[in-house]
Every structure is written in structure tokens, then in C-alpha cells.
Amino acid sequence: MSESLPQFLKQRAERNFAHLLREVSAVTKEEATRFASEAWPSHKWGIGQNGSIAGIVYHVAAWKSLSLPLFEPTRELRTAEDFDPDTAPAVDDWEGVVNWLREVSTQWLSALSRLSDSDFDSLCPWETATIPLGEFVVEFIEHDVQHTSQIEYLRQRLLAEK
């Protein structure tokens, strides 16, 4: 590999977000909210999740928003408790959620692109431990892949129901 691992990760982050955005862009408002459930079980990191594609997209945007301070010199990590839903569109506002995802992901990728290779070794707090920033970047790349796959599955389910 002629490029560094941080350069590779930056490219993967862009590629995987582009894939997520292609999936999201093909979803209608009706499809986006189709599987929403008030009975959806909550969990520690489940911001916005409600069983729908809109909930998945909201969740991804919320965590990218919360993670932006990791790219600052202080490497501060915000948690789900720090999330203020009043700063985000409603989960069922599909156009607003998609625009929020685009906006926060653009900021996230821009901040990532400004990191030097050595920044990836910077230590960041994670609950009771500290891990290198590079590990957070990998987690968020994988987060995009995980939720893109969920959206792909739900889109297939919608097709099967027609």
C-alpha cells in the first residue's frame, strides 16, 4: 500500500458515506417512516432509532454531530446525554433529516480530511478508557456501513411487500 493508513481511512470514510447517501436519496418520505414504532426498544446509543429508515438516518446524523469535537485539539467526546433533540429536525421530517445528515457528514468529512497522520494516534476518552482517534474513525466508518446495510435491507423489504 503506497498510501498511509490514515489516508486510506479518509478515503473509506468518504466512500462509505457516499454509499449511505445513495441509499438514503432513493427513499421516499413514506418509505422512510414506514416501519416506525413507538414500542421500539431504546438503548444507550440508540438516539433516534425507531425501526424506520428515518430513525436510522437520524441516528447516524446525531452521532456524527456528537463526534465532531473529537476532531478538535481537546479530543472531547460527547455522549448520548449531551444530545439536544431541539437542535435537530424531527425524526419524521424526512427532508430535514436527510439535509441534516448531509450537513453534519460534510462537516465530519472536512474535519477528518484536515487531520494529520499523527493526529490519528491522539488519545481520546471513551467511557472509562482512552483509545486512539484512529479507532474512533474506524468505528464511525463501520457505523456508516452497518446502517447503510440496514437501509438496504429495509428497502428490499419494502420491495417485497409491493
Side-chain angles (χ1 to χ4, degrees):
M1 180 184 309
S2 60
E3 62 192 350
S4 68
L5 180 57
Q7 290 169 332
F8 174 78
L9 293 175
K10 290 174 186 182
Q11 291 171 355
R12 277 297 155 141
E14 288 180 24
R15 180 182 147 220
N16 291 337
F17 171 66
H19 188 183
L20 172 63
L21 195 55
R22 275 193 307 276
E23 287 298 316
V24 166
S25 296
V27 174
T28 67
K29 177 181 174 45
E30 293 74 26
E31 292 169 335
T33 56
R34 167 69 172 82
F35 300 110
S37 169
E38 290 184 23
W40 193 260
S42 66
H43 65 87
K44 184 177 181 177
W45 295 286
I47 298 170
Q49 293 180 332
N50 64 5
S52 71
I53 292 172
I56 293 168
V57 174
Y58 186 100
H59 169 81
V60 172
W63 277 107
K64 283 190 177 182
S65 175
L66 285 170
S67 71
L68 281 169
L70 287 171
F71 297 114
E72 301 299 325
T74 59
R75 305 281 183 246
E76 174 191 354
L77 176 65
R78 291 190 277 168
T79 65
E81 292 78 34
D82 297 315
F83 180 70
D84 179 2
D86 292 336
T87 64
V91 176
D92 62 354
D93 174 6
W94 181 235
E95 184 178 333
V97 170
V98 172
N99 288 335
W100 182 39
L101 174 69
R102 282 188 182 112
E103 178 184 311
V104 74
S105 295
T106 298
Q107 293 170 359
W108 200 92
L109 290 168
S110 178
L112 177 65
S113 73
R114 291 190 301 271
L115 295 178
S116 69
D117 282 10
S118 63
D119 286 331
F120 281 72
D121 294 323
S122 301
L123 295 177
C124 305
W126 175 250
E127 297 190 340
T128 60
T130 33
I131 66 171
L133 179 59
E135 286 187 35
F136 275 109
V137 171
V138 170
E139 288 292 327
F140 276 88
I141 290 170
E142 291 174 348
H143 193 243
D144 276 1
V145 171
Q146 172 191 1
H147 292 302
T148 300
S149 298
Q150 290 174 330
I151 293 167
E152 289 171 335
Y153 172 82
L154 291 175
R155 288 187 63 216
Q156 286 296 109
R157 183 173 173 196
L158 288 162
L159 286 173
E161 289 180 356
K162 287 184 178 179

